[in-house]
Amino acid sequence: IFGDNLKWQKKNLTYRWVDPHRRLRPAVLLGEDPIENYSPDMSQAEVDQSIEMALQVWAGVTPLRFSRVFSGTADIMVSFGRQSHGDLYPFDGPQGTLAHAFAPAPGIGGDAHFDEDELFTFRSEEGQCPHLDAGVPETLGGAPEPVCAATGYVLFLVAAHEFGHSLGLSHSSDPGALMFPIYTHSNPDSFVLPQDDVRGIQSLYGPNPEGPLGPGPEPPTTPDACDSKLVLDAVTTLRGEIYFFKGRFLWRRHTQSSIPQQSLIANFWPGAPDEIDAAVERRSSDRVFLFKDRQVWAFRGYDLVAGYPKSISSFGLPGAVKKVDAALLDEESGKMLFFVDRMLYSYDEATETLEPGFPQRVDRTFPDILGRVTAAFEYRGFAYIYSGPVMFEYSLGSKRLFRLLDNSYFLTCT
Amino acid sequence: LPWETMPDEELAKSYLKSFYNFREDNGSAVRRALSPLSQKLSEMQRFFGLEITGTLDPATLEVMRKPRCGVPDGKISAFS
């Protein structure tokens, strides 16, 4: 929340679309009705629906209620504008700043402005960026494109964030929060206000006295590296760093730094799935593979490799395998190990086939691992194999167990 | 200039001016242990959970290039 604890002192708030240039002209303020201003990228109905949905995000968890007015000054005046648009905080053209809003106060307080130079959309299919889904040729590299710039920013998501400011929320440093200052693409149809935002807004206004309208998903929380019971979805090396996956999130840690950096998977690879099953790096071809259910995605840097996602059968796994629990690649021997339930599959990178004698029980190769493997990776000739919050350190050459460790060994609690 | 074509240091200064109240010349003759740019970079890195180096490293630039809300992270209430 803002340092001055800024909030509205009433529960019923009004909002209105208005052209900000016109609003500042005295003639307009003296009675001439402003012209309503809509984004040229979307239909009027789509803009209306996006704004109403964005306000309902906050109404759903507080006593606040919103009603639209079509004349006069509303508490929350909403407009599209470009460059200098009358509030001394000019927009910057395409990309960069998408929108801004003012904290609760009379006058300009509560107002939300959207940068008309951005391409806004109602929704994108499947919460992904269609232009990235087709993949890019493997030879292309370079800097990543801004997230979904080619298909547009979902107005609902941007508006819901801005209305958080309009109601008194500052920025959150939780990368999973709606109030995190960086745009994160997600599917508006399945959006649920994260726990951090719920706690923030309810600290100002309290909960919705009517309670939730029906059974719905719990507000999502952000995984905590300091949680000793944390069970990671997957772990892999990538270009000299270690990546730890959990839900929608990943932590990346450079091996020469002790501080992990948390982000959303979608911010790295907009076409990648959340809640992956396994991840593995193949350094020889500079690729990282992400496994989920029966599919595998390959990325080179930020780019999806052409032809992916593919079936996990492309790694020789039989059709009976529904998902991979963990994977690691021993670059020295060229063997990719897949953990599936209590079984181990070994894929020979040279022959591109499963090794004879596999699958076999995991504890035949790694005798101390009796539980289900949840994640695994190779680092400096050692296999690090997770079973829940416990991590086994094996020499890959001798398969000898060296140490039992926990998450915090690599994923430090800061 | 569009953000993606700005030189790195110019991008960083522009970003920190917009979102961290960074001023290049504060008129102070007092010798500082850390330059104002470095201080503001550290502030930004702390907020985003980046490694606090006070320097313009690739991870920091990466965050600066991402599309974002225009309200400053630090002096947000000054708007009202």
Side-chain angles (χ1 to χ4, degrees):
Chain A
I1 60 172
F2 296 110
D4 303 329
N5 204 27
L6 295 165
K7 59 181 274 193
W8 296 101
Q9 299 303 321
K10 54 187 179 182
K11 301 286 192 291
N12 294 307
L13 298 169
T14 56
Y15 71 97
R16 181 185 174 195
W17 284 102
V18 63
D19 182 331
H21 297 288
R22 289 176 177 271
R23 185 174 182 232
L24 293 177
R25 289 180 194 152
V28 174
L29 293 175
L30 288 173
E32 181 189 330
D33 260 353
I35 295 172
E36 294 205 9
N37 178 34
Y38 284 89
S39 165
D41 310 325
M42 298 165 59
S43 72
Q44 183 173 328
E46 286 177 335
V47 173
D48 286 347
Q49 193 178 339
S50 298
I51 295 304
E52 281 162 23
M53 283 164 55
L55 288 167
Q56 287 311 309
V57 162
W58 301 108
V61 296
T62 65
L64 296 172
R65 298 294 174 262
F66 302 96
S67 52
R68 185 176 176 184
V69 295
F70 295 88
S71 63
T73 303
D75 298 312
I76 299 171
M77 301 291 268
V78 185
S79 60
F80 287 94
R82 59 183 305 276
Q83 302 287 352
S84 293
H85 54 279
D87 64 2
L88 305 180
Y89 297 96
F91 283 130
D92 54 0
Q95 314 298 343
T97 297
L98 308 180
H100 58 218
F102 296 83
I108 202 167
D111 294 0
H113 301 162
F114 299 85
D115 187 350
E116 201 170 289
D117 282 333
E118 310 299 343
L119 181 68
F120 288 106
T121 65
F122 187 54
R123 66 158 61 86
S124 292
E125 293 301 317
E126 297 298 315
Q128 296 179 356
C129 302
H131 71 293
L132 292 172
D133 288 347
V136 294
E138 291 184 53
T139 50
L140 289 183
E145 286 184 39
V147 178
C148 283
T151 52
Y153 300 105
V154 176
L155 180 61
F156 158 74
L157 295 171
V158 180
H161 173 102
E162 297 308 328
F163 292 148
H165 292 312
S166 302
L167 300 177
L169 290 186
S170 179
H171 278 150
S172 170
S173 58
D174 177 345
L178 175 63
M179 295 312 294
F180 192 63
I182 291 175
Y183 176 84
T184 302
H185 196 79
S186 65
N187 185 349
D189 294 332
S190 54
F191 177 84
V192 179
L193 188 65
Q195 188 65 47
D196 185 65
D197 304 291
V198 173
R199 283 171 45 214
I201 200 71
Q202 290 187 345
S203 75
L204 292 174
Y205 300 104
N208 186 346
E210 296 164 18
L213 295 175
E218 287 291 309
T221 55
T222 302
D224 182 359
C226 299
D227 177 2
S228 61
K229 293 178 182 165
L230 176 70
V231 177
L232 294 163
D233 294 337
V235 184
T236 184
T237 53
L238 178 54
R239 294 182 172 176
E241 299 181 38
I242 305 175
Y243 282 55
F244 308 87
F245 295 84
K246 181 68 182 176
R248 298 184 296 143
F249 297 85
L250 61 78
W251 288 270
R252 59 187 294 197
R253 206 204 106 182
H254 195 278
T255 49
Q256 292 174 344
S257 163
S258 61
I259 304 168
Q261 178 194 336
Q262 192 177 35
S263 326
L264 285 153
I265 296 172
N267 278 348
F268 262 80
W269 299 295
D274 291 336
E275 296 176 354
I276 64 168
D277 299 325
V280 66
E281 179 189 28
R282 182 192 284 152
R283 281 190 283 275
S284 58
S285 61
D286 188 24
R287 290 181 186 185
V288 65
F289 297 94
L290 307 183
F291 296 81
K292 176 159 181 167
D293 299 329
R294 292 189 48 79
Q295 285 190 297
V296 56
W297 285 252
F299 291 92
R300 192 171 187 194
Y302 291 100
D303 300 327
L304 182 67
V305 175
Y308 285 87
K310 290 181 179 177
S311 165
I312 54 175
S313 62
S314 59
F315 281 102
L317 293 167
V321 174
K322 300 285 189 294
K323 68 191 262 304
V324 171
D325 292 328
L328 70 84
L329 174 59
D330 179 2
E331 296 266 0
E332 184 77 20
S333 66
K335 303 289 191 296
M336 179 106 62
L337 301 181
F338 292 105
F339 298 84
V340 178
D341 292 326
R342 303 294 167 90
M343 305 302 283
L344 182 69
Y345 293 76
S346 178
Y347 175 77
D348 190 322
E349 293 268 289
T351 61
E352 298 184 344
T353 55
L354 280 185
E355 273 202 281
F358 287 89
Q360 58 180 230
R361 285 178 59 97
V362 171
D363 55 5
R364 275 189 63 189
T365 306
F366 301 104
D368 309 277
I369 300 178
L370 301 175
R372 188 177 184 130
V373 172
T374 47
F377 73 109
E378 181 274 337
Y379 179 58
R380 292 183 174 171
F382 290 90
Y384 293 92
I385 302 173
Y386 293 73
S387 184
V390 180
M391 183 172 70
F392 297 79
E393 182 186 57
Y394 281 92
S395 161
L396 263 173
S398 66
K399 303 292 188 295
R400 180 182 160 202
L401 176 66
F402 275 77
R403 288 183 289 181
L404 271 178
L405 302 160
D406 60 29
N407 273 332
S408 63
Y409 184 73
F410 285 111
L411 181 59
T412 44
C413 168
T414 51
Chain B
L1 282 171
W3 291 74
E4 62 268 30
T5 57
M6 273 190 187
D8 291 350
E9 193 171 329
E10 288 307 306
L11 164 68
K13 285 178 180 172
S14 171
Y15 184 96
L16 295 172
K17 280 176 190 169
S18 296
F19 304 120
Y20 287 86
N21 199 28
F22 169 63
R23 297 191 179 108
E24 278 191 81
D25 181 12
N26 60 9
S28 168
V30 179
R31 184 170 178 166
R32 290 168 181 271
L34 210 56
S35 75
L37 180 66
S38 200
Q39 284 180 346
K40 290 295 178 186
L41 276 172
S42 301
E43 197 179 320
M44 180 242 173
Q45 289 163 338
R46 187 174 301 112
F47 179 86
F48 284 102
L50 301 167
E51 188 175 4
I52 301 168
T53 61
T55 58
L56 199 53
D57 51 56
T60 305
L61 270 170
E62 193 177 290
V63 171
M64 287 178 169
R65 288 204 172 97
K66 286 181 176 168
R68 57 159 291 156
C69 169
V71 180
D73 299 322
K75 300 284 180 185
I76 199 161
S77 57
F79 272 114
S80 62

